């Protein structure tokens, strides 16, 4: 994987805030959440909102509600009431979740479309349970999609090995052939697999409808789309903000092509901030960097800020499961345990290290090597072998790249500009001491008006939960 712009690892320190008794799912509740955090718990001076921009991360609903708050208060007299000191952003963990659900919807198929190129076939071939066809649990869906991706890559390898008369049923023969290869031969083999599935030429369907191999095309589209998700996952883990920015470009197309309208809009907002003059160079970097945390401070231990908050939610749920009584419910949980949950977690780790014990709280994954190899062998028999004469398939995956580009070209960007940008006449002149300059650059097909806010070097970022019960604040030096 190429390294484009990897952030130097540093340990992230985080703190839990107290309970927030507002329904963040509504705009009115969002007002209360922001006031509770910044005025009551942070106890900031009102003048602080003249000079600092606060990056607030949340799911798509949270970001949308905060933008509604900003729009409603744009003519307020004080800096705090205008809420232009808030920059709402969608978090990367919920982006990954939406991406997985999109892939699941596009490629799952059904009982009547039980083709080897569908996830329905794969999940039944492996006899995996409790994976619904729509919006399945994150870990189950991610395992299914990534294992199916790896199986297709191995299947393409099997196709290459058959061409040189290697018996793929004999694992030792395959291993012996691969170990005998020189570096040049191995790289050529990898390039041949790439040309079969990821090259630009292979993406173009045949102009002759009678010679289109629909089954093979399903596999190709699946591989190319999952490659983007795998890149996003890798980029987050290694804090490569250059790769994240590339994935956002592709997500703009994918989400418009698959009609994921909410996140399609969020991706255009990211594109506006990162690719136009709507933000300074420092702010562009801060937007990407502060969406990640790294509690261990290692090179490959970064993950999303909203996943950190989900871990807090899990801690609180476990406390509630263990201690719930007629007198200990949600109210006492938040008022008595919200501020101590993170501390207790750190204390637990310290005690375990002193006694030489370790409790593994990670997600346990079943070894999938045999599953991947078996599915690869199954689909390499015929399903993933390209048929020059063409082939019909009972399941046809949509070409979301063509659909997405067409949507962006026809109307999506115009709708985005009409909804997300404003002209100078729509903005009240700020007070002389606001520290805010308004300018209207026009770059890359986006007609934008933006705020350049004088900020301190310390960016604070917050993930607000859907229940608005908790949030975390994390600081990167």
């Amino acid at each position: 994987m190429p390294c484009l712009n990897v952030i130097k690892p540093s340990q992230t320190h985080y703190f839990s805030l107290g309970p927030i008794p507002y329904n963040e799912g509504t705009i009115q509740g969002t007002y209360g959440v922001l006031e509770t955090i910044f005025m009551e718990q942070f106890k900031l001076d009102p003048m602080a909102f003249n000079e600092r921009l606060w990056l607030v991360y949340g799911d798509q609903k949270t970001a949308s509600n905060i933008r509604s708050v900003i729009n409603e208060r744009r003519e307020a007299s004080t800096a705090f009431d205008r809420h232009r000191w808030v920059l709402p952003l969608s978090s990367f963990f919920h982006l990954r979740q939406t991406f997985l659900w999109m892939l699941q919807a596009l490629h799952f198929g059904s009982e009547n479309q039980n083709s080897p190129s569908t996830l329905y076939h794969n999940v039944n071939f492996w006899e995996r349970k409790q994976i619904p066809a729509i919006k399945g649990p994150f870990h189950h869906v991610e395992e299914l999609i990534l294992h199916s991706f790896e199986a297709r890559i191995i299947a393409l390898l099997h196709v290459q090995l058959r061409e040189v008369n290697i018996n793929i049923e004999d694992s030792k023969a395959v291993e012996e052939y691969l170990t005998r290869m020189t570096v040049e031969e191995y790289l050529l083999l990898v390039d041949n697999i790439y040309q079969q599935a990821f090259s630009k030429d292979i993406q173009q369907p045949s102009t002759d409808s009678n010679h289109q191999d629909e089954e093979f095309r399903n596999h190709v589209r699946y591989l190319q789309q999952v490659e983007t998700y795998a890149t996003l996952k890798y980029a987050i883990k290694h804090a490569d903000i250059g790769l994240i920015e590339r994935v956002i470009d592709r997500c703009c197309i994918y989400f418009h092509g698959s009609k994921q309208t909410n996140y399609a809009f969020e991706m255009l907002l990211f594109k506006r901030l990162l690719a136009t003059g709507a933000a300074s160079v420092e702010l562009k970097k801060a937007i990407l960097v502060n969406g990640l945390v790294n509690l261990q401070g290692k090179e490959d231990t970064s993950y999303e800020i909203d996943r950190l908050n989900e871990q807090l939610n899990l801690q609180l749920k476990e406390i509630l499961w263990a201690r719930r009584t007629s007198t200990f419910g949600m109210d006492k949980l938040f008022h008595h345990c919200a501020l101590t949950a993170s501390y207790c977690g750190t204390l637990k780790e310290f005690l375990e290290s002193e006694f030489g014990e370790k409790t593994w709280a990670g997600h346990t994954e079943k070894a999938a090597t045999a599953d991947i190899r078996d599915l690869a062998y199954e689909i390499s028999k015929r399903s993933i072998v390209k048929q020059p004469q063409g082939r019909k398939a009972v399941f046809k995956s949509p070409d979301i790249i063509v659909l997405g580009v067409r949507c962006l070209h026809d109307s999506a960007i115009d709708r985005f500009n009409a909804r997300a940008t404003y002209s100078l006449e729509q903005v009240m002149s700020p007070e002389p001491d606001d520290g805010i300059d308004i300018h209207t650059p026009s770059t890359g097909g986006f007609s934008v008006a933006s705020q350049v806010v004088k900020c301190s070097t310390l960016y604070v970022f917050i993930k607000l939960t859907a229940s608005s019960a908790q949030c975390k604040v994390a600081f990167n030096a």
Side-chain angles (χ1 to χ4, degrees):
M1 186 70 71
C3 297
L4 299 185
N5 189 2
V6 179
I7 300 303
K8 183 179 179 180
S10 61
Q11 188 174 10
T12 304
H13 303 281
Y14 66 94
F15 307 89
S16 299
L17 298 182
I20 305 170
Y22 293 98
N23 179 9
E24 185 225 351
T26 66
I27 295 176
Q28 187 63 36
T30 302
Y31 280 111
V33 170
L34 293 173
E35 184 171 355
T36 299
I37 292 173
F38 291 96
M39 299 300 287
E40 297 180 14
Q41 299 201 27
F42 285 0
K43 299 187 182 300
L44 294 175
D45 186 277
M47 296 301 294
F49 302 101
N50 294 330
E51 301 176 352
R52 182 175 295 180
L53 179 66
W54 299 81
L55 307 185
V56 178
Y57 293 80
D59 55 19
Q60 188 277 330
K61 180 69 172 178
T62 297
S64 178
N65 283 347
I66 295 177
R67 285 194 293 270
S68 297
V69 167
I70 296 172
N71 186 55
E72 288 183 357
R73 291 291 185 91
R74 66 181 181 271
E75 297 183 359
S77 58
T78 66
F80 175 81
D81 289 336
R82 282 197 298 272
H83 286 85
R84 283 166 52 196
W85 44 270
V86 178
L87 180 58
L89 300 163
S90 294
S91 300
F92 296 135
F93 177 70
H94 286 86
L95 169 61
R96 286 178 57 187
Q97 185 180 57
T98 303
F99 203 122
L100 287 174
W101 287 345
M102 177 194 73
L103 293 171
Q104 187 183 18
L106 291 173
H107 297 280
F108 199 82
S110 64
E111 185 176 359
N112 297 327
Q113 299 173 323
N114 191 16
S115 164
S117 63
T118 64
L119 292 173
Y120 180 86
H121 170 276
N122 301 163
V123 73
N124 284 282
F125 181 87
W126 286 326
E127 296 182 352
R128 298 190 180 181
K129 309 297 183 182
Q130 298 177 347
I131 302 181
I134 300 175
K135 295 185 176 181
F138 177 86
H139 287 294
H140 294 314
V141 176
E142 185 181 54
E143 281 184 356
L144 171 64
I145 286 176
L146 291 180
H147 291 168
S148 298
F149 173 82
E150 293 166 3
R152 284 162 173 78
I153 297 295
I154 301 300
L156 290 173
L157 172 63
H158 287 176
V159 173
Q160 292 287 313
L161 295 179
R162 280 203 184 100
E163 292 180 358
V164 293
N165 298 320
I166 301 298
N167 182 13
I168 63 173
E169 297 182 16
D170 186 351
S171 59
K172 291 185 178 180
V174 173
E175 182 179 356
E176 182 180 356
Y177 175 78
L178 294 176
T179 54
R180 289 201 319 264
M181 298 179 74
T182 64
V183 174
E184 292 76 11
E185 291 172 338
Y186 180 76
L187 292 177
L188 179 61
L189 177 63
V190 173
D191 186 66
N192 289 337
I193 295 174
Y194 169 81
Q195 294 297 331
Q196 287 186 69
F198 300 102
S199 64
K200 292 182 179 180
D201 294 337
I202 206 68
Q203 297 182 45
Q204 304 299 326
S206 173
T207 55
D208 185 358
S209 59
N210 295 323
H211 291 83
Q212 290 184 6
D213 189 344
E214 296 175 350
E215 180 77 1
F216 180 76
R217 190 172 60 191
N218 289 339
H219 288 294
V220 169
R221 288 175 179 171
Y222 180 85
L223 287 168
Q224 292 172 351
Q225 292 160 21
V226 179
E227 180 201 23
T228 303
Y229 175 80
T231 302
L232 175 61
K233 181 178 180 179
Y234 176 91
I236 290 172
K237 183 177 180 179
H238 293 82
D240 191 333
I241 61 175
L243 281 177
I244 293 176
E245 192 169 352
R246 280 194 178 185
V247 171
I248 289 173
D249 292 345
R250 184 58 68 97
C251 287
C252 287
I253 299 174
Y254 281 168
F255 288 148
H256 279 93
S258 60
K259 301 187 184 302
Q260 302 284 333
T261 55
N262 288 335
Y263 270 88
F265 181 82
E266 298 297 329
M267 294 303 101
L268 285 180
L269 280 173
F270 268 112
K271 185 65 178 174
R272 174 203 170 201
L273 290 169
L274 299 175
T276 73
S280 65
V281 175
E282 295 80 8
L283 180 55
K284 290 176 182 179
K285 182 177 180 180
I287 288 170
L288 295 172
V289 171
N290 288 316
L292 308 175
V293 296
N294 191 342
L295 303 187
Q296 299 182 45
K298 300 179 182 178
E299 292 183 352
D300 60 348
T301 54
S302 296
Y303 60 98
E304 308 87 339
I305 177 65
D306 44 334
R307 177 175 286 195
L308 175 65
N309 198 78
E310 296 297 344
Q311 292 172 354
L312 172 63
N313 291 339
L314 177 60
Q315 287 178 314
L316 294 175
K317 286 181 180 178
E318 289 177 340
I319 293 172
L320 188 62
W321 290 335
R323 299 182 55 188
R324 187 163 198 165
T325 64
S326 58
T327 58
F328 185 89
M330 292 291 291
D331 291 339
K332 283 194 174 182
L333 173 72
F334 289 130
H335 284 88
H336 293 273
C337 302
L339 292 174
T340 60
S342 298
Y343 169 77
C344 291
T346 304
L347 179 63
K348 171 176 169 289
E349 293 177 359
F350 175 78
L351 293 174
E352 287 179 346
S353 64
E354 289 296 312
F355 286 95
E357 297 291 335
K358 177 66 176 178
T359 302
W360 171 248
H363 177 67
T364 303
E365 296 183 3
K366 173 189 173 184
T369 305
D371 286 350
I372 292 172
R373 185 177 60 247
D374 292 343
L375 179 61
Y377 176 76
E378 175 70 18
I379 64 179
S380 67
K381 293 178 181 177
R382 176 174 172 80
S383 179
I384 206 169
V385 180
K386 189 174 182 180
Q387 306 295 326
Q389 70 275 15
R391 176 174 39 169
K392 297 295 182 181
V394 293
F395 172 79
K396 299 178 183 179
S397 63
D399 190 344
I400 59 175
I401 292 182
V402 171
L403 296 174
V405 170
R406 186 181 301 158
C407 180
L408 287 166
H409 178 270
D410 292 345
S411 59
I413 292 179
D414 291 336
R415 291 198 308 269
F416 170 80
N417 284 330
R419 176 181 172 187
T421 64
Y422 47 79
S423 64
L424 287 175
E425 292 75 15
Q426 294 175 285
V427 183
M428 289 190 64
S429 299
E431 298 297 330
D433 60 346
D434 269 357
I436 299 177
D437 299 320
I438 306 299
H439 63 104
T440 54
S442 179
T443 318
F446 291 82
S447 175
V448 300
S450 61
Q451 307 172 37
V452 179
V453 184
K454 297 178 182 178
C455 307
S456 67
T457 57
L458 178 67
Y459 289 88
V460 182
F461 47 103
I462 302 156
K463 162 67 176 73
L464 308 179
T465 66
S467 64
S468 75
Q470 284 300 310
C471 67
K472 279 191 176 182
V473 182
F475 298 87
N476 275 342

